[in-house]
Amino acid sequence: MDKLTIWEVFLFSVPEAAVIISIAFGLGGVKFKPKKILYISLLTGIILYFIRPLVSSYIVNVILYIGVLMILFLVFKVMDFFKGMMSVILSVSIYLIIEYLNVTAIQFLFDIDPVILLKDYVLRFECFLPQLLIAILVSFAIRKYKLYLFTE
């Protein structure tokens, strides 16, 4: 896949990782911990900055993303392996659905060529914001309505 610049990591990858982690925390029934989410999302962005250029397949990239999050969840003792695995896989899946629907809607509504979307960073950021906001709302709804995967 394409190599991201370091500023793209902080502009796109870190916020994306933070919201995915927040959704995973919610699904796992883990208390919202901003510092822990920030540390894990920064590490995820930096680790994937180095891994992404080595991987040409999108699906392999997603699997590695899940693997990195799982390892970091274990290192930071967020939740046990099974809960972490289920929460991370579901949160990444939710985010990918939001991303797909967002990109499809933007291309349909505004007739934007995907190639231009990749080259124009201002437009790319403007298109990134709706999916980020929707994912934040999903994370908030999971917490508010206690839509946890596990009960104890």
Side-chain angles (χ1 to χ4, degrees):
M1 296 192 81
D2 297 335
K3 182 170 173 77
L4 295 174
T5 62
I6 196 70
W7 71 270
E8 285 177 296
V9 168
F10 290 104
L11 191 63
F12 296 109
S13 296
V14 172
E16 176 181 281
V19 77
I20 289 171
I21 293 163
S22 177
I23 292 170
F25 272 40
L27 291 171
V30 174
K31 185 180 178 212
F32 188 80
K33 299 173 184 172
K35 278 188 180 179
K36 204 172 260 196
I37 291 172
L38 177 65
Y39 295 146
I40 296 172
S41 61
L42 281 170
L43 284 171
T44 301
I46 291 167
I47 291 168
L48 292 174
Y49 171 77
F50 293 106
I51 292 175
R52 187 175 175 165
L54 305 173
V55 180
S56 60
S57 169
Y58 180 75
I59 192 67
V60 172
N61 187 46
V62 170
I63 293 168
L64 288 171
Y65 195 104
I66 291 169
V68 166
L69 284 177
M70 279 303 309
I71 291 168
L72 291 173
F73 271 35
L74 292 172
V75 168
F76 281 86
K77 296 178 174 73
V78 173
M79 56 185 99
D80 68 52
F81 180 78
F82 179 75
K83 285 183 181 180
M85 180 180 62
M86 298 307 291
S87 299
V88 166
I89 289 172
L90 189 54
S91 66
V92 169
S93 299
I94 289 168
Y95 188 81
L96 289 175
I97 291 167
I98 292 168
E99 183 175 46
Y100 172 78
L101 293 173
N102 179 59
V103 171
T104 302
I106 287 172
Q107 287 177 347
F108 176 76
L109 294 172
F110 302 108
D111 196 31
I112 297 174
D113 183 13
V115 175
I116 293 172
L117 191 61
L118 290 174
K119 292 181 181 179
D120 185 345
Y121 289 110
V122 173
L123 183 61
R124 185 171 163 195
F125 185 72
E126 289 172 348
C127 292
F128 171 71
L129 284 179
Q131 77 192 37
L132 190 66
L133 293 174
I134 291 167
I136 290 169
L137 290 173
V138 167
S139 176
F140 178 74
I142 288 169
R143 278 177 215 307
K144 181 171 175 59
Y145 298 108
K146 298 180 180 173
L147 302 173
Y148 308 141
L149 291 176
F150 312 98
T151 56
E152 295 189 29

